[in-house]
Amino acid sequence: MSRKNFATTLFTLLVCIGAGPLLARTPIPAGITLDRTAAASAGVSADVLNLALSALTCGVASGELATPPTLTLIDYSLPSTQPRLWVFDLRSGRMLFKELVAHGRNTGENLATRFSDAMNSHQSSLGLFVTSDTYVGNNGYSLRLDGLEPGVNARARERAIVMHGAPYVDVKLAETQGRLGRSWGCPALREAVARDVINTIRGGGVIFSYYPDAHWLKTSRFLNGCGGAATPRLGSGQAVLSTS
C-alpha cells in the first residue's frame, strides 16, 4: 500500500470509529474561506486539509486561538524532495505559498517516520502550533512557534523549534543526495523565500503539521475533543467556512 493510500485508509478508519461524525458537527469560525480547488491543484490531500481545518476550528472554539489570518499546512507524509508546505490566507481564501520544508535529522531520511517533543531529540513535532514573534539568531531571521499540544509539541519554545531559512533546503541538493538536508527539528525553508513566508504568517497564524501517526490522530484534543470540525460549504471552487 502506498503512503498516500495508507493515509487515506487511516482517515477513513477514523471516520468509521467516530471521528467523521465529529467533523460534521463542529461549529465553524465565521469569516474564514479557503480555495480547495487551488489546494488540490497544488497537491494538498483533501483528507489532510480537513484535519487541519478540524484542528483550527477546535482551537478557536476552545478559546486557545483567536481566528487566525493564515493556515500553514505541513504534510510530513510526503517526501522531503517534494513541496509539502502550503500557506493559505484565510481571509481571501488564496493559497500564498507552496514550498519545500525540511524535517529533523532524527525524523528520517527522505521520508519522515519518527516524531517527538523530547529535548535534544532532533526530531520534528506534529500537531497544532501558533506563530509568535520574529528574531535574528544563529539561523538568521527566524519565527518562534508555540506548540499547543502537551506531549506532542508543547516544548517547541524550550526546544527552540522555529521556522527559519537554511542552505540545505535546496532543490539541487535534493536531486544530488536524494533528500533535503535536515534540521534539528525545525521546519526549515529555502533561504530565498523564508523571510517572505515568515512575515506572512507571524503573529497569530496557525501551523498544522501532519503525519498519519495513529496515536496522535486518536488522542489529539484538537481532533477529538471539541465535538466536531470543519464542514465546507462549497461554491465556485471555494470552501466557505461559516457557522451556518
Side-chain angles (χ1 to χ4, degrees), residues 29-33 52-53 55-57 59-61 64-72 88-92 128-131 200-207:
I32 288 179
T33 64
L53 292 172
L56 182 159
T57 299
V60 173
E64 294 189 59
L65 290 174
T67 301
T70 60
L71 168 64
T72 301
F88 299 94
D89 183 331
L90 295 178
R91 297 187 178 110
S92 69
L128 196 65
F129 301 79
V130 63
T131 66
T200 299
I201 70 174
R202 67 183 181 179
V206 162
I207 297 176

Side-chain angles (χ1 to χ4, degrees), residues 14 65 124 130 133 139 190 213 233:
L14 290 173
L65 290 174
S124 298
V130 63
D133 58 317
N139 291 302
R190 292 186 301 124
D213 179 90
R233 186 178 72 240

